[in-house]
Amino acid sequence: MRLLFAGLATVDLVQRVQRLPGADEKVQSESVEVAAGGPAANAAVTAAALGASVTLVSVVGAHPLGDLVRADLAAHGVTLIDAAPDSPEPPPVSAVTVLATTGERTIVSRNAGNRRVTMPAEGLPDADLTLVDGHHPALATAAARAARRLLVDAGSWRPVFADVFPHAEVVACSGDFRHPGAAPIDAATADAVAAPHVVVTHGPGPVRWFSALEAGEVAVPPVAAVDTAGAGDAFHGALAVALARGDRNLPAAIAYAIGVAAIRVQHAGPRSWLTHLS
């Protein structure tokens, strides 16, 4: 099973605290961890942990911080294609603070900003299924057009999605997603996404799905959340695996992805949870 992920790779600085500081206040964290982050990168790490052969195409560059991203991806079985290997700019950095009492997180990030990249000189590898997250629009568009089967992580609206959605088999939206000029995604507005299948997550609430002739929802089992950072990315990585392995039953694929995301939120830290996947 060969999967391609195209999108954002960041340096995530994750700190766990008992309470969030107020303005002009300092608190001591319980732990500090550094890992590769970003929707596509986290989903790629999840898919690799689930046994897929995974390639991530992103922008990391030659800045010393990029070594942290490369090392973490390599340690977790993800092959990186860097679309701008000589770029002196630092990779995007996210400061993630996790509240130990609830598992909720706050994130301050720059993401990819306005960086413009082109296709890697070697092109893109063949894959059974491709996931794009909409970051780095040129990469997203090229990957979408070349994909055999396309899954889109649509956490929030990005202009490139107008070009990407028509190529998608499944678009996975967050509950906060808003197509321009449209209401939240439901049975009446799912057509605006222009994909055969639309999935909408709602945190701990049921995951709703919409297809041309039917719709439904899949329950999310209650779990004790310890760390919710990256839970949506884990869901998307697992959904990519379920779809690529030939599971054409969308509710079953969603249920599998929910199960993986549930494991993620029950364990602290960006990577320790991977050891609990069977």
Side-chain angles (χ1 to χ4, degrees):
M1 182 194 315
R2 299 164 301 169
L3 301 183
L4 175 66
F5 294 77
L8 187 64
T10 68
V11 175
D12 279 5
L13 173 64
V14 184
Q15 300 199 74
R16 191 172 181 85
V17 299
Q18 282 295 322
R19 65 180 182 85
L20 296 175
D24 201 27
E25 182 186 12
K26 296 180 181 179
V27 297
Q28 288 291 315
S29 64
E30 296 180 353
S31 62
V32 178
E33 296 180 76
V34 178
N42 281 333
V45 167
T46 300
L50 293 170
S53 175
V54 175
T55 298
L56 169 69
V57 57
S58 187
V59 175
V60 176
H63 189 278
L65 283 176
D67 292 339
L68 299 173
V69 176
R70 282 184 283 272
D72 187 49
L73 294 174
H76 292 91
V78 175
T79 298
L80 173 66
I81 296 177
D82 192 345
D86 299 323
S87 172
E89 297 182 55
V93 177
S94 294
V96 183
T97 304
V98 179
L99 190 59
T101 53
T102 65
E104 297 169 303
R105 82 284 191 271
T106 60
I107 302 174
V108 178
S109 62
R110 175 68 175 137
N111 290 336
N114 296 319
R115 296 181 70 175
R116 295 184 178 275
V117 299
T118 57
M119 279 287 293
E122 64 269 42
L124 298 175
D126 188 32
D128 300 307
L129 183 138
T130 298
L131 178 145
V132 301
D133 64 11
H135 293 273
H136 301 303
L139 297 181
T141 302
R145 290 174 177 171
R148 290 185 182 183
R149 301 174 63 195
L150 180 66
L151 168 63
V152 180
D153 170 359
S156 58
W157 170 256
R158 300 182 183 281
V160 71
F161 286 152
D163 297 322
V164 168
F165 282 173
H167 301 280
E169 176 181 330
V170 178
V171 172
C173 307
S174 72
D176 295 328
F177 179 87
R178 299 291 185 275
H179 193 282
I185 300 298
D186 57 22
T189 60
D191 286 348
V193 176
H197 307 287
V198 179
V199 174
V200 185
T201 59
H202 298 274
V207 177
R208 304 182 68 188
W209 59 273
F210 307 95
S211 298
L213 300 177
E214 54 184 344
E217 62 181 41
V218 182
V220 173
V223 297
V226 173
D227 187 346
T228 61
D233 304 336
F235 175 89
H236 295 133
L239 184 60
V241 169
L243 294 171
R245 70 186 179 189
D247 195 340
R248 299 283 180 165
N249 183 314
L250 185 59
I254 292 170
Y256 175 77
I258 288 172
V260 171
I263 294 172
R264 195 280 164 263
V265 302
Q266 292 179 80
H267 300 90
R271 297 289 181 255
S272 63
W273 71 279
L274 297 170
T275 62
H276 298 273
L277 294 173
S278 55

